[in-house]
Amino acid sequence: MRRMRTALLLGAAWLALGAAAWRRNAVWETRVALWSDVVAKVPDAQRPRRNLAFAYLDRGEPEKAIEEYRLALRLGGAAAPRDEAFIRNNMGLAWLALGRLDEAAADFARAMERDPESPHAAANLALVRLRRGDAAGAEELARRALALDADNGGALEVLGGARMARGDGAGALEPLGRAVRVDPDDPERWFNLGTAQAMAGSAADACASWSQVLRLPGDPGLLAKARARGAALGCGPR
């Protein structure tokens, strides 16, 4: 009887440990769950909130990301220039995801003020200007970002986009080609390069670039656009 009782107690202990392990695995299952768990334990720490905000942004929930970034700022981001710049830049990306260009521009500009040596906010503000139709302003900021980091892919894309907006497809080839070399696994960069090549009259090169888009995993809408443009240009199967 005593041996059976001991076995039952040990079995109950293993069940309890198993339940605890299952709960811990559920917490670590996603980054949002992980950092939500950390924030619940240390609600006044800034870095976990920054990480939770990024996890929300990465999961496609920019509103929640903004809320967490604002809390992170209240927890001391404004006291450290680079910390505030980092948070403001990422919060700007969240606004950009929502199509809120004014709010995005304000946060990117503040990030540039707090950390003038970082190229990221300059490249992102350049993108805002390009989306507003200010090709000259976008190119100016993209060049500023590239002076700080010659391989900043975002700035290279904006520089190429600004030149295409002015009708200069040939001038867009160099920065967009460099952007592809920086990250050859980004289908959007191949798509943009193909667009510039088609604008510059290099049909074969455009077909090759759009074909590359189809070989990479990406947004279905982008793949459909690459197929449509390839068909319109008379690109054969590859």
Side-chain angles (χ1 to χ4, degrees):
M1 179 64 72
R2 183 176 179 180
R3 188 173 296 172
M4 182 180 294
R5 184 181 174 189
T6 301
L8 288 171
L9 288 172
L10 285 172
W14 279 113
L15 284 171
L17 287 170
W22 183 89
R23 285 193 296 271
R24 179 53 50 189
N25 287 338
V27 167
W28 283 74
E29 191 174 297
T30 68
R31 282 182 293 170
V32 168
L34 186 159
W35 291 111
S36 294
D37 182 59
V38 176
V39 164
K41 290 178 171 61
V42 283
D44 295 330
Q46 185 198 86
R47 190 166 294 276
R49 290 209 177 266
R50 284 169 44 173
N51 291 337
L52 177 58
F54 184 79
Y56 276 132
L57 185 58
D58 197 39
R59 198 168 75 172
E61 298 181 74
E63 297 95 338
K64 291 183 178 179
I66 290 166
E67 182 180 345
E68 292 299 328
Y69 280 131
R70 281 174 169 165
L71 287 168
L73 283 174
R74 290 178 200 151
L75 292 170
R82 287 191 175 178
D83 282 348
E84 184 182 358
F86 177 88
I87 293 169
R88 292 282 184 185
N89 182 65
N90 283 5
M91 193 153 62
L93 292 174
W95 287 121
L96 204 57
L98 292 169
R100 303 274 292 272
L101 298 186
D102 289 346
E103 291 89 342
D107 276 320
F108 292 144
R110 177 63 175 168
M112 289 175 64
E113 289 174 9
R114 298 298 280 168
D115 187 6
E117 298 304 312
S118 174
H120 306 298
N124 290 330
L125 187 55
L127 177 58
V128 172
R129 290 191 178 178
L130 183 60
R131 289 191 180 181
R132 284 175 165 168
D134 180 8
E139 182 162 350
E140 178 186 352
L141 276 170
R143 288 184 178 280
R144 174 173 171 174
L146 290 169
L148 295 165
D149 175 11
D151 291 324
N152 187 288
L156 289 167
E157 281 194 279
V158 172
L159 182 57
R163 290 178 178 176
M164 282 197 290
R166 297 202 312 269
D168 183 11
L173 294 177
E174 190 271 337
L176 292 178
R178 284 168 59 197
V180 162
R181 289 193 291 276
V182 169
D183 187 359
D185 295 325
D186 186 338
E188 188 169 345
R189 295 188 181 184
W190 283 104
F191 179 84
N192 292 336
L193 177 59
T195 301
Q197 288 164 334
M199 185 182 290
S202 303
D205 290 337
C207 289
S209 293
W210 288 332
S211 178
Q212 188 66 25
V213 174
L214 303 180
R215 295 191 185 100
L216 295 168
D219 175 63
L222 183 67
L223 299 180
K225 284 169 67 176
R227 287 193 189 95
R229 292 203 180 179
L233 198 61
C235 301
R238 287 178 178 268

